[in-house]
Amino acid sequence: EKNKMAIIKKFRIKSFKEETPIIELKDLTISYGNRQIVEHLNMSVQKSEICGLLGPNGAGKSSIYHSIIGLVKPAFGKILINGEDATDIPTHLRCSKFGISWVPQYGGSWSDLTVFENIMAVAELHIKSKDERLAKTNNLIRKFELNNVINLKSKYLSGGQVRKLTLAMAMVKETKILILDEPFAALDPQSVRMIQQIIVSLQMFEKISITISDHSSRDLLGCVDSAMVLSEGSIVAKGTPQELVKNTKAIEAYFGEGFKI
């Protein structure tokens, strides 16, 4: 199972990666009151790449994602999406214009709605025709293998099923950029592998650019092309998983001695 994932990633890097940034953060500074969470941060995510963001709790990972989608306004710096300055574009316009979908760490689905109702509810926001809404919902239920839980309320799903549902909901609209905040949190190893494979297939077959943050470095490094280590509001190291685990700054700031993938 693990080798299969590794082969997919090696093939992916050689064959498809385009060195064109789809997201660029330039000199980004985010403050809450007097407290600076992120300081003069520069980072970019390449088109069609799966890019990981690692860092301890409170390092600013979620704040960076919130700034990309427009939920947090930076105190300083610029957010470029597809080469265009998006810093002042409001969230709803930004997400529709650039095809950004965000899957938060917590929630993301309505607990009292069934799997089918959850996906349909999102479809009603994005698809005018009732027939198209139904077709899209059924297609996503099939694609994400949710048929056997189609009529279960979200609150009765397992962790892995909830994650599949929230990913399916994110795919209702035309998605070009997918932002995943802690997608492997509290999942069992089998569910982690399933979500890793879904992420890789969205990149390969849908050509979606994906950025993921997670605490579990091993799970994240198992499915990304490149990753960055964030420490105290700055990027201290970046590279492929193989490069990162040998990087002394990444070892000092995050992995610790003896970490292997």
Side-chain angles (χ1 to χ4, degrees), residues 1-11 197 200 222:
E1 201 64 67
K2 201 157 187 188
N3 290 344
K4 191 169 146 198
M5 286 297 304
I7 290 163
I8 287 174
K9 291 322 302 159
K10 279 177 195 157
F11 169 71
Q197 285 169 340
V200 172

Side-chain angles (χ1 to χ4, degrees), residues 83-146:
E84 202 174 315
D85 189 344
T87 321
D88 296 320
I89 301 176
T91 298
H92 63 289
L93 290 177
R94 195 183 301 192
C95 289
S96 59
K97 181 182 169 90
F98 299 108
I100 303 170
S101 289
W102 174 54
V103 178
Q105 180 183 355
Y106 302 110
S109 66
W110 291 280
S111 61
D112 262 343
L113 295 186
T114 66
V115 165
F116 180 81
E117 289 163 346
N118 264 293
I119 300 173
M120 269 302 259
V122 179
E124 277 170 22
L125 297 173
H126 297 287
I127 302 167
K128 286 193 172 74
S129 147
K130 195 179 174 186
D131 289 347
E132 277 176 41
R133 278 203 299 269
L134 195 58
K136 184 77 176 182
T137 300
N138 285 325
N139 185 22
L140 286 165
I141 284 166
R142 196 166 52 247
K143 189 171 176 175
F144 284 87
E145 297 178 355
L146 290 161

